[in-house]
Structure formats: C-alpha cells, structure tokens
Amino acid sequence: MSDPHVLALVGSLREHSYTRLATAHALRGAEAAGATTELLDLREYDLPPLNPDADEQGDSATVINRVDNADAVILGSPMYHGSYSGVLKNALDYCGFDEFEGKTVGLLAVSGGAFPVTTLEHLRSVCRALNAWVLPHQAAVPKAHSAFENGEFVDSDTADRVATLGERVVRYADIEREPPTFESDQNQGADD
C-alpha cells in the first residue's frame, strides 16, 4: 500500500489534553513512516449520545465517513475509572463493522496515575469485537502530568514507544484480514 492514510481519534474533551499531545506524537511517527495523517479531535464534533432509533445524529455521518476512509486508525484515550473515555465510547458506538472490519488499529492510553492497562485491554476487546486487526504493540503514558514539558515528551523512551505506535500502524496498514472472531458473532452494533 502506498501512502496509507492514518486517522487518530482523540477521546478527550480537555482543552489542554495530554491525550491529544500523545496522539499527535503518534501521528508524527506515522508521517515519518510515509503515511498521510489526520487527527480527529472529538471536541470539534457534535456527537450526542447514540440513539439507535435516530439516523445521522449531529456530525455522526462525518465522523463515520472519516473513520471508514482511513487505512488505519489510532485510538487515543485518557483512563477514566479504569477504562477508556465515554466520549470515545460514544464515537465508536456510531461506527461498526463497515468502518473497522479488517482495519489496523493502534491503541494509546494516557493516565494521571499508574500504567493504564485496563484502558488498553478494554479498547482491544471492543476493536476485536469489530473484527479490527489490533496491533500487538500499544503505547501508554502514565503520570501524564509529568510526562510533558512545553508540549513535548520529557522521557525519550516514552516518546519512542508512542512514535513506534504510529510507525507500526503504517507498516501493518495492509495486513491480511483475520477470520472473524467469536466476539464479533455475538456483537450487536448500532445498525442492527
């Protein structure tokens, strides 16, 4: 695949979001690997809580279209109560198999405290249920309040791991699709 397009969804509404900074850094890694990139900042879209009985709520059609047109996706989320953000959950609820099946997805989690393992695990489960191909490599930014200075990572190991996430989504953007998972057979999406 030449010049894959990588879309990153930022699941934070904070104005000064560490998740947004980390996700932008991952996209720079994707650009360095030859991709075109796009940051989809969920703050900029009107996405009311999903009502499956209503068609095209708010900006949902635009968000769905941008996810669908990406060759690979990076999902960036802060850790909220041991999981990922409701804002990102709502955006993913609008999407489904059409947008994610067979698509390469990279995961990034940011936390104010310890390593956000459960956030990454929960996102991985959702993506697998949508038959996405989730990278084994994932990135996390613990103790985010001390991880950045002037908008840049202070620790080169963390910066490298996040940039590698971007590079890997490009490397595996055209990976052969996996057979459907058991979870996907049990999954009921918004369009069901």
Side-chain angles (χ1 to χ4, degrees):
M1 176 183 300
S2 63
D3 299 329
H5 184 66
V6 177
L7 175 75
L9 278 79
V10 177
S12 173
L13 298 181
R14 286 184 185 265
E15 185 175 340
H16 302 291
S17 166
Y18 296 122
T19 302
R20 192 171 301 104
L21 290 174
T23 305
H25 188 80
L27 285 179
R28 287 193 292 277
E31 288 170 2
T36 61
T37 64
E38 179 180 7
L39 188 115
L40 196 149
D41 189 341
L42 293 173
R43 293 180 313 160
E44 299 172 4
Y45 295 87
D46 172 30
L47 285 179
L50 177 69
N51 177 352
D53 290 333
D55 293 329
E56 293 191 21
Q57 301 170 72
D59 295 325
S60 63
T62 300
V63 171
I64 290 167
N65 185 53
R66 289 173 72 184
V67 172
D68 190 37
N69 288 324
D71 297 305
V73 173
I74 296 172
L75 300 177
S77 180
M79 181 169 80
Y80 290 154
H81 305 300
S83 192
Y84 60 101
S85 72
V87 170
L88 184 56
K89 171 70 169 123
N90 191 50
L92 293 173
D93 285 347
Y94 277 103
C95 297
F97 293 104
D98 290 343
E99 292 75 37
F100 278 97
E101 188 169 19
K103 190 164 290 184
T104 299
V105 177
L107 304 177
L108 171 66
V110 176
S111 69
F115 196 85
V117 174
T118 53
T119 301
L120 295 166
E121 290 172 348
H122 294 173
L123 281 170
R124 184 172 299 279
S125 293
V126 168
C127 292
R128 289 300 299 139
L130 291 171
N131 282 332
W133 191 84
V134 186
L135 289 173
H137 178 87
Q138 56 192 13
V141 182
K143 300 179 182 169
H145 58 279
S146 60
F148 295 92
E149 188 173 293
N150 297 322
E152 299 295 329
F153 282 107
V154 297
D155 176 62
S156 62
D157 289 341
T158 305
D160 288 347
R161 185 161 186 84
V162 172
T164 297
L165 180 69
E167 181 271 325
R168 296 267 169 90
V169 296
V170 174
R171 182 186 305 175
Y172 297 108
D174 64 348
I175 196 160
E176 183 178 339
R177 290 180 174 210
E178 290 288 315
T181 64
F182 170 77
E183 299 97 319
S184 68
D185 290 341
Q186 305 303 311
N187 190 33
Q188 295 296 315
D191 57 353
D192 294 331

